[in-house]
Amino acid sequence: MSLDPQLRQRIKDLLQANRIVLFMKGDPRAPQCGFSAKAVAALTALETPYAHINVLADPEIREGIKAYGDWPTIPQLYIDGELVGGSDIIEQMSNSGELHSALGLPAPDRTPPTVTVTPAAHAVLRKAIDDAGGDLVVKLDIDPNYRTRLALAQPEAAAITVECDGVRVQVDAPAARRADGVTIDWADDTRGRGLVVDNPNAIPPVRPMSPVDAQARTSDGTVRLVDVRPADERAQAAVTAPFMTLDDGPAALEALPKDTPLAFLCHHGGRSGQAAERFRQLGFREVYNIEGGIDAWSQHVDSTIPRY
């Protein structure tokens, strides 16, 4: 495919303006394909800012970048104007430490995590490995949102291996610290039936908070209240406690330290629950949804607040 000179210059300008550029499907908060999600996970683990271009929103760039670097697929990572490669190469370089070196970062911590395989899980895994031919490992994938997947896989030289009484568990270097302390068990109880992973590092789920507790914690400054309703709704009924809004977008809230306690409020608790879950997935570790919303606040905290 020949590349239009104006489009070529446009791509050059993007690469000159940003040292690290990821051309992907979707954006880092919501990748629109599994390969883009893998690339984002590897880059996120480096905690280094990078520019991203959503090719789904720009068909011209989507086709043009393939011709520019003579690389047929998306995502594509560029560093200092040079093509690095797609998601598999990004992941391999992240595991080996080459990506860190290319960015001038310290080598990744390759200290093996502590992983426990219970006797019940060991028996199941040992049989599965033997039935599949024996030369396999248990691949433990934990993404930055702590979504976890177990699978039998071929050994990878760049991955970190943990020996558990003859069962080898492998984890990619970027996920090693997220895997530290993990227990793999076999369940046949309220957790379901099958292999389950208990990860003490996982981000806690969104927790409910009563309006009474929200009022008390907002007053003493131990939680930040976020009213997700639009301005016209807040004009009908609003709490007297200090609160933040999303009127100007989520950037200010997203920039807060991830250990900042957040309590989300809406009319009845539905929209605030969705917002709370989104911020939990962004890595905030103490997130609450105020039960019953402003309506319950009016009933149990401040009866002068109009109900609507």
Side-chain angles (χ1 to χ4, degrees), residues 169-237:
V169 178
Q170 280 198 343
V171 60
D172 291 336
R177 302 284 58 83
R178 294 192 291 269
D180 198 29
V182 155
T183 296
I184 303 173
D185 193 11
W186 172 264
D188 188 5
D189 50 33
T190 56
R191 296 172 292 173
R193 178 178 171 80
L195 291 167
V196 294
V197 177
D198 177 36
N199 190 341
N201 309 302
I203 300 169
V206 174
R207 286 167 276 186
M209 178 179 280
S210 72
V212 172
D213 288 342
Q215 167 70 20
R217 291 197 56 183
T218 303
S219 297
D220 66 19
T222 60
V223 74
R224 294 207 186 197
L225 182 63
V226 185
D227 193 330
V228 304
R229 298 174 300 152
D232 59 342
E233 272 195 71
R234 297 198 308 272
Q236 297 180 63

Side-chain angles (χ1 to χ4, degrees), residues 34-53:
F35 296 110
S36 291
K38 286 171 60 177
V40 166
L43 290 172
T44 300
L46 300 181
E47 299 184 350
T48 296
Y50 62 94
H52 63 276
I53 308 298

Side-chain angles (χ1 to χ4, degrees), residues 120-196:
H122 188 280
V124 171
L125 290 170
R126 183 71 266 167
K127 183 177 187 305
I129 292 169
D130 291 342
D131 289 347
D135 189 27
L136 295 173
V137 298
V138 178
K139 185 68 180 295
L140 174 62
D141 286 326
I142 304 174
D143 74 10
N145 289 324
Y146 290 88
R147 290 185 291 258
T148 303
R149 187 172 70 91
L150 288 173
L152 296 185
Q154 294 293 329
E156 296 179 14
I160 297 172
T161 302
V162 180
E163 287 282 346
C164 298
D165 194 21
V167 170
R168 291 175 294 169
V169 178
Q170 280 198 343
V171 60
D172 291 336
R177 302 284 58 83
R178 294 192 291 269
D180 198 29
V182 155
T183 296
I184 303 173
D185 193 11
W186 172 264
D188 188 5
D189 50 33
T190 56
R191 296 172 292 173
R193 178 178 171 80
L195 291 167
V196 294

Side-chain angles (χ1 to χ4, degrees), residues 261-284:
L262 300 175
F264 290 83
L265 175 75
C266 70
H267 190 191
H268 289 117
R271 285 170 290 172
S272 57
Q274 294 173 359
E277 177 58 26
R278 179 178 174 277
F279 276 84
R280 187 197 72 82
Q281 291 187 11
L282 288 175
F284 286 84

Side-chain angles (χ1 to χ4, degrees), residues 11-31:
I11 293 172
K12 277 188 175 181
D13 291 344
L14 282 170
L15 298 178
Q16 288 173 356
N18 303 279
R19 185 187 178 210
I20 311 168
V21 184
L22 178 67
F23 295 86
M24 62 176 293
K25 294 179 180 179
D27 66 61
R29 292 178 297 183

Side-chain angles (χ1 to χ4, degrees), residues 211-212 215 236-240 294-308:
V212 172
Q215 167 70 20
Q236 297 180 63
V239 299
T240 56
I294 190 76
D295 191 65
W297 197 297
S298 175
Q299 295 179 69
H300 302 293
V301 176
D302 185 354
S303 61
T304 65
I305 297 175
R307 297 179 65 191
Y308 64 99

